[in-house]
Amino acid sequence: MAREWRNEATDMVEEQIVGRDVKDERVLAALASVPRHLFVPTEHAPSAYVDRPLPIGSRQTISQPYMVAKMTELLAAQEGMKILEIGTGSGYQSAVLASLGLRVWSVERIESLALSARKRLNEMNFDANVIYGDGRLGYAKNAPYDRIIITAATGRVEPEWDRQLARGGILVAPLNVATGNQRLLTRENLEQGFRNTWHDYCKFVPLLTGLD
Ligand code: SAH
């Protein structure tokens, strides 16, 4: 496994991501470079590079590789930008963002996940700050952010996220829409107001209230 993970990651990118509609070369390179098997529990390491989300404990999941790539592409981020992530989970998405040269702050409401993601990212030298807190409030201390990514399904864009998004900034989130479906939303903070654009249908665990 350890010996071959780079091949597995390269195949994952070719088969699951390039084959669909993700074209941004930097995003593809980032997904090929992050050892996804180190972000899942040992018993799931052999399936780390397959085309689906996987359990990471506390009834949460690491997102499907394609979904990580798609959301990262939609962020259209540049090196050095500040990004806020809501829903650290395993820390995998944070690692992908950090490897693109973004300055990452990521909020997680389950303490055990926040602690293990922080430790894992540190040990692997990914420069990302993990905060234990309720992400519905964003992380005002460090605002504004050039980009915000929400990795749990939400019924609405929280007012604090709008407030903490820089002018010209972009937020990407899975929104609950009619009939129990979820759809990716990009929301741009433009001079004339916020502009929403709808993308793929998706399936994320729910954004929850308060701390655990
Ligand atoms: N980005 C993660 C996957 C996210 S799964 C990865 O790469 O592994 C969604 C995560 O959002 C879960 O860990 C869940 O605990 C967290 N979450 C749910 N509601 C939250 C909230 N209000 N604030 C912060 N995190 C939240």
Side-chain angles (χ1 to χ4, degrees), residues 21-70:
D21 60 347
V22 177
K23 305 271 183 283
D24 188 328
E25 291 292 341
R26 298 167 314 147
V27 173
L28 301 175
L31 269 104
S33 76
V34 175
R36 185 170 160 94
H37 62 286
L38 300 180
F39 290 82
V40 300
T42 327
E43 68 266 31
H44 293 298
S47 344
Y49 298 90
V50 301
D51 190 17
R52 57 168 189 261
L54 292 169
I56 56 170
S58 308
R59 296 169 53 221
Q60 304 305 319
T61 54
I62 179 174
S63 306
Q64 177 196 23
Y66 167 71
M67 200 42 70
V68 173
K70 181 70 192 176

Side-chain angles (χ1 to χ4, degrees), residues 141-153:
K141 212 168 153 183
N142 200 55
Y145 301 94
D146 303 298
R147 299 290 186 263
I148 299 181
I149 179 172
I150 315 298
T151 65

Side-chain angles (χ1 to χ4, degrees), residues 56 60-63 68 85-94 107-110 113 133-136 151-152 204-210:
I56 56 170
Q60 304 305 319
T61 54
I62 179 174
S63 306
V68 173
E85 178 188 23
I86 305 304
T88 315
S90 67
Y92 178 70
Q93 174 79 66
S94 306
V107 183
E108 171 57 55
R109 67 175 285 280
I110 298 178
L113 288 179
D134 182 353
R136 291 177 314 148
T151 65
F204 282 79
V205 295
L207 188 82
L208 300 175
T209 306

Side-chain angles (χ1 to χ4, degrees), residues 10-190:
T10 304
D11 290 350
M12 173 190 87
V13 168
E14 296 283 309
E15 290 160 18
Q16 304 167 32
I17 298 172
V18 178
R20 295 184 178 130
D21 60 347
V22 177
K23 305 271 183 283
D24 188 328
E25 291 292 341
R26 298 167 314 147
V27 173
L28 301 175
L31 269 104
S33 76
V34 175
R36 185 170 160 94
H37 62 286
L38 300 180
F39 290 82
V40 300
T42 327
E43 68 266 31
H44 293 298
S47 344
Y49 298 90
V50 301
D51 190 17
R52 57 168 189 261
L54 292 169
I56 56 170
S58 308
R59 296 169 53 221
Q60 304 305 319
T61 54
I62 179 174
S63 306
Q64 177 196 23
Y66 167 71
M67 200 42 70
V68 173
K70 181 70 192 176
M71 290 180 96
T72 306
E73 182 173 68
L74 287 173
L75 285 167
Q78 305 300 322
E79 209 175 325
M81 281 183 169
K82 280 168 67 179
I83 183 160
L84 174 68
E85 178 188 23
I86 305 304
T88 315
S90 67
Y92 178 70
Q93 174 79 66
S94 306
V96 168
L97 296 170
S99 72
L100 283 166
L102 300 181
R103 293 182 287 150
V104 183
W105 284 264
S106 183
V107 183
E108 171 57 55
R109 67 175 285 280
I110 298 178
E111 191 171 22
S112 57
L113 288 179
L115 292 174
S116 55
R118 182 185 292 147
K119 183 162 176 275
R120 177 180 295 131
L121 289 162
N122 274 340
E123 283 172 0
M124 296 169 74
N125 283 321
F126 286 111
D127 194 7
N129 308 284
V130 176
I131 298 114
Y132 168 53
D134 182 353
R136 291 177 314 148
L137 304 173
Y139 187 57
K141 212 168 153 183
N142 200 55
Y145 301 94
D146 303 298
R147 299 290 186 263
I148 299 181
I149 179 172
I150 315 298
T151 65
T154 178
R156 63 167 195 178
V157 174
E158 293 293 332
E160 276 301 327
W161 303 340
D162 276 349
R163 237 171 258 137
Q164 294 173 28
L165 186 62
R167 178 57 53 81
I170 302 175
L171 170 144
V172 178
L175 263 282
N176 298 322
V177 293
T179 62
N181 291 319
Q182 300 172 11
R183 216 170 155 184
L184 286 182
L185 170 74
T186 53
R187 185 167 167 87
E188 291 168 87
N189 182 358
L190 303 174

